[in-house]
Amino acid sequence: MSIKYDLEIAKMLTNIEDEKLLNFYINATIKKIEVILGYELVKGQITSLVSGLNKKYVFLPRKKIERVLNAKSGCKKLPFSFVNRKVIFDEIITTDSYVEIEYIAGYDELPENLLMFICSTIKEELSNAEGLKSYGIRGINYTFLNKIEQSDNFVRGVRDLFGVVEIWQF
């Protein structure tokens, strides 16, 4: 199963009319995003083993949580509530214990901001087919990012879009 997106908008944003080629670029970029995130973007039921924080909550690793179905520690079902990626329990989940959480997350259709990011990434990749480092026209100079800088920008963009949760333990 794949994620749906508005192909006509993608054509306008990338200036690519060949639908087969554009689908290839979009799907390849989605795969790059999934590699960085460590999970697929397509909507589905997921079971995650999440470690405790010595708090009454844990954070789910994925974004776009539709609902949490079940939470248990060992064989014991845990009552819970959830807000965004945070699952809240009645008892403290210690750092040495894990909670198994079943939930539905992901996308049926790409959100507009994610499609915009993907299309701008594709356009940037294709903008320097000649391999120039820079060029200038009438006193305006443009410098292309090298592949490492492009990759760093891409990773930062994915982290910004998906709000990577980092837990600091002291």
Side-chain angles (χ1 to χ4, degrees):
M1 186 174 175
S2 61
I3 301 172
K4 298 174 192 160
Y5 46 87
D6 190 325
L7 193 58
E8 293 307 312
I9 289 177
K11 283 180 182 180
M12 287 188 290
L13 292 171
T14 61
N15 295 325
I16 298 172
E17 290 298 320
D18 182 337
E19 290 182 8
K20 190 173 182 179
L21 181 63
L22 183 55
N23 282 323
F24 171 79
Y25 284 136
I26 290 172
N27 289 325
T29 306
I30 288 171
K31 291 295 178 206
K32 281 175 65 175
I33 291 169
E34 291 174 342
V35 166
I36 291 168
L37 294 174
Y39 60 84
E40 293 182 355
L41 296 180
V42 68
K43 184 191 251 182
Q45 184 171 329
I46 298 108
T47 301
S48 290
L49 202 57
V50 184
S51 63
L53 302 168
N54 271 345
K55 307 266 187 216
K56 289 186 175 187
Y57 58 84
V58 295
F59 289 99
L60 294 173
R62 298 192 185 213
K63 185 136 183 185
K64 184 68 165 102
I65 309 294
E66 184 176 293
R67 71 177 182 254
V68 177
L69 305 170
N70 189 11
K72 61 184 177 179
S73 180
C75 295
K76 179 184 172 188
K77 280 194 163 197
L78 301 172
F80 64 88
S81 60
F82 82 98
V83 178
N84 295 329
R85 294 161 84 168
K86 188 177 185 179
V87 182
I88 306 159
F89 303 101
D90 293 341
E91 61 188 64
I92 290 177
I93 308 299
T94 60
T95 54
D96 61 345
S97 62
Y98 291 86
V99 179
E100 184 179 295
I101 303 174
E102 293 176 10
Y103 56 101
I104 296 176
Y107 302 97
D108 285 324
E109 187 167 340
L110 279 179
E112 290 176 357
N113 64 336
L114 189 50
L115 181 59
M116 177 73 86
F117 174 77
I118 289 169
C119 289
S120 67
T121 299
I122 292 168
K123 198 163 185 172
E124 183 179 335
E125 286 283 330
L126 299 175
S127 68
N128 188 14
E130 294 85 29
L132 299 173
K133 289 186 178 183
S134 63
Y135 70 92
I137 299 174
R138 295 184 190 152
I140 298 173
N141 296 316
Y142 185 84
T143 302
F144 290 102
L145 298 177
N146 64 36
K147 292 295 180 189
I148 292 171
E149 291 167 327
Q150 282 181 352
S151 178
D152 289 346
N153 273 351
F154 183 78
V155 170
R156 275 192 299 278
V158 169
R159 287 189 176 143
D160 288 347
L161 278 170
F162 289 89
V164 175
V165 176
E166 294 180 343
I167 307 300
W168 297 92
Q169 295 185 8
F170 299 99

